[in-house]
Amino acid sequence: MSIQILPDQLINQIAAGEVVERPAAVVKELVENSLDAGGRQVEIEVEQGGLGLVRVRDDGAGIPREQLALALQRHATSKIASLQDLESVASLGFRGEALPSILSVSRFSITSRTARDAHGWRIAGAGAAEGGEPQAAAHPPGTTVEVRDLFFNTPARRKFMRAESTEYRHIDQLARRLALARFDLRLGLRHNGRRTLELPPATDAGARESRIGEVCGAEFLANAVALDESRLGFRLWGWVALPGFARAQPDLQFLYVNGRMVRDKLLGHALRRAYADVLHSTRYPAFVLFLELAPAAVDVNVHPAKSEVRFRQSAQVHDFLFGCVHQLLRRIRPEPQQHHRVELHLPAAPAEPTQEPLRYAAAGPRGGSAHLEIREPAASAWPLYKAPDDSASAAAAADAGVAVAQQPLGRALAQLHGVFILAESRQGLVLVDAHAAHERVLYERYKHQLEAGGIPAQALLVPEIVRVGAAEADSLEAQREELSHLGLVIDRAGPESVTLRAVPPLLARTDPGALLRALCGEDSESEDHFGEVLDAQHRILADMACRAAIKANRRLSLPEMDALLRDMEHTELSGQCNHGRPTWVQVAVEDLDRMFLRGR
């Protein structure tokens, strides 16, 4: 076949394959045009999931009569005129492909009126423009676009559409995402003549939160923390959900760059890393975030649907986003008003790694003389709590009433099944998973020690030879210096073995060889376990903390339990263990009243 120029209609239909994936894509393109035209009120009406009709009406600037036909030509746009404009695009649309692409696969009409015109003008077509002059039509200032019988002339494409309810659900989700992009917008949605969404403008903080609740649900809003950070020419603001509100799927992730909805791998990676210490790998965080930066610092011309972007300073953007969210999460402390309630669905507990029984562990509250001390099991019940001196005890007793009021996790009452701590707080009953909580406390303590210069190492009386594979031995030897900062001192002993000479004190009575094998074995969390040194170090610290934390059926005294509760109150990210499981839940007093029908 000889080379030839394709007909315009076929070119437009090929472009439609990239731009018009389904009815929701038509809605996206038309609403974004409305927003670029300055529309403050947008009404969306669809029938048969958008396959029968998509109508978008706005009160924007409108299109003059002499330019109406031009708007349906390929690469015709009012949003860029030069390469310089393209390098700093501030509008949502700019390619000039959307309208001709939609026209090529539908029965199409557009009616528009500018403020200076006495009436509107209409032009239509089915698969291609009808030609001729625009016709006069009654219309208020603004634009209405009607798209009927989508894919009527490309039946193969239409066969790929889903059920009406599915296509409508995509439109509804898109409308809600668009509503978050512009809080000043009044947005309405109808399906088959029935009003399904009505969002008035949200011009103040209270109204914006109401819109967040309307779009994302009241439960998201109740579990979200506001964020607003600016530096290095970047601004990140919005709402970030607490880790306890993690989802089974990424259905509440709304991310915008300069008002544009995006799904960006770089930003996604930064957010996953920000939640890494508090979220299980099978759960997804929830957030509504807006990143603002100079238009010239982001390239939006990398995808036909404009859903992907490229940053000119990608490393700085990644670190800024990660730092803002990570530091926000670390500032959160136990707050019963914003934490797990037993009537809420909690995430399934991930499987605990196989561990050797712990024979020795120690921890203590900051700034106090009491500390938690786990000793080797014995037939007699030795106290596990090192009592403070008399003066400290007297001072603690005198301040007990004040302390309880200032302690979100309250005071310990008992230990249940050798696993859970029961405590009384001002809000009600608090239940703590002792192992999970202690694991988080130790992990954060290890990280602070690492940042301060390294974790202390305790020399083994008899160095232990650990047998591993040749590749694993090479990996451990290459990371010898990094491991020493973690309190693990090793030497190469042979082609398939290393000598372990020192370990952190908390691991002195465990099986450190098992830990060392786990760090380089097949169960590693990453194929390149030491690829990123910091992440690798934190994975090692998390494993160390898990092995050193209190084990099930270890009986604790009330002072020991209280010491752990106080540690949790002063520990970052203490609401979740290193595997993403919740460390504590609560039963509110009002819930207890309902259980026992009190007051009825």
Side-chain angles (χ1 to χ4, degrees), residues 567-600:
D567 265 353
M568 293 172 63
E569 292 166 350
H570 294 88
T571 297
E572 297 172 334
L573 308 174
S574 62
Q576 287 74 32
C577 77
N578 312 335
H579 308 290
R581 293 194 296 111
T583 58
W584 65 282
V585 297
Q586 70 170 342
V587 184
V589 173
E590 55 268 26
D591 294 330
L592 293 171
D593 288 341
R594 282 197 295 270
M595 289 180 189
F596 293 97
L597 304 180
R598 289 177 56 83
R600 298 188 183 182

Side-chain angles (χ1 to χ4, degrees), residues 125-145:
E130 294 177 347
E133 294 296 318
Q135 301 299 309
H139 196 277
T143 301
T144 298
V145 178

Side-chain angles (χ1 to χ4, degrees), residues 538-554:
H538 284 182
R539 284 194 293 271
I540 295 170
L541 296 184
D543 203 337
M544 289 166 52
C546 187
R547 290 169 181 272
I550 301 166
K551 297 299 184 292
N553 299 318
R554 181 60 55 85

Side-chain angles (χ1 to χ4, degrees), residues 357-373:
L358 178 67
R359 297 187 177 88
Y360 182 88
R366 297 174 183 168
S369 57
H371 71 279
L372 189 65
E373 184 176 316

Side-chain angles (χ1 to χ4, degrees), residues 34-258:
S34 295
L35 298 180
D36 284 340
R40 302 294 294 271
Q41 299 187 57
V42 175
E43 181 72 23
I44 306 167
E45 185 175 353
V46 297
E47 295 176 2
Q48 300 172 13
L51 291 170
L53 168 70
V54 171
R55 180 187 294 121
V56 175
R57 178 182 291 114
D58 66 62
D59 63 345
I63 303 173
R65 173 187 179 279
E66 61 273 13
Q67 296 184 7
L68 200 56
L70 187 60
L72 302 183
Q73 299 298 312
R74 294 192 72 226
H75 308 312
T77 178
S78 62
K79 299 166 187 178
I80 59 172
S82 66
L83 178 61
Q84 184 177 0
D85 293 339
L86 184 61
E87 291 176 344
S88 57
V89 173
S91 58
L92 298 175
F94 56 88
R95 291 172 176 263
E97 290 181 348
L99 291 184
S101 296
I102 296 169
L103 165 63
S104 71
V105 291
S106 69
R107 306 185 193 280
F108 180 96
S109 71
I110 179 170
T111 308
S112 191
R113 174 187 168 188
T114 64
R116 61 182 174 83
D117 289 335
H119 55 77
W121 298 92
R122 180 180 184 273
I123 195 169
E130 294 177 347
E133 294 296 318
Q135 301 299 309
H139 196 277
T143 301
T144 298
V145 178
E146 284 192 3
V147 178
R148 294 184 179 274
D149 299 331
L150 189 62
F151 305 128
F152 79 98
N153 56 352
T154 53
R157 290 285 307 282
R158 187 159 183 135
K159 288 180 181 178
F160 279 92
M161 295 301 102
R162 303 297 183 182
E164 176 180 324
S165 59
T166 301
E167 296 300 337
Y168 170 71
R169 186 169 66 250
H170 283 284
I171 293 173
D172 179 73
Q173 292 171 349
L174 175 76
R176 293 172 185 273
R177 286 182 175 273
L178 290 167
L180 294 182
R182 285 278 301 273
F183 284 99
D184 61 334
L185 179 70
R186 189 200 74 78
L187 183 67
L189 175 63
R190 290 178 179 271
H191 184 222
N192 293 336
R194 183 174 64 89
R195 172 72 63 183
T196 57
L197 187 66
E198 181 65 50
L199 297 175
T203 55
D204 56 42
R208 285 192 290 271
E209 289 197 353
S210 295
R211 178 170 290 195
I212 291 290
E214 177 76 19
V215 173
C216 302
E219 192 176 352
F220 169 85
L221 192 59
N223 286 274
V225 180
L227 167 69
D228 195 340
E229 296 281 348
S230 298
R231 58 179 178 270
L232 302 174
F234 307 138
R235 182 192 179 197
L236 182 69
W237 65 279
W239 292 263
V240 173
L242 298 171
F245 189 69
R247 312 282 290 177
Q249 55 188 358
D251 59 335
L252 283 180
Q253 296 186 346
F254 300 91
L255 184 58
Y256 302 84
V257 176
N258 289 346

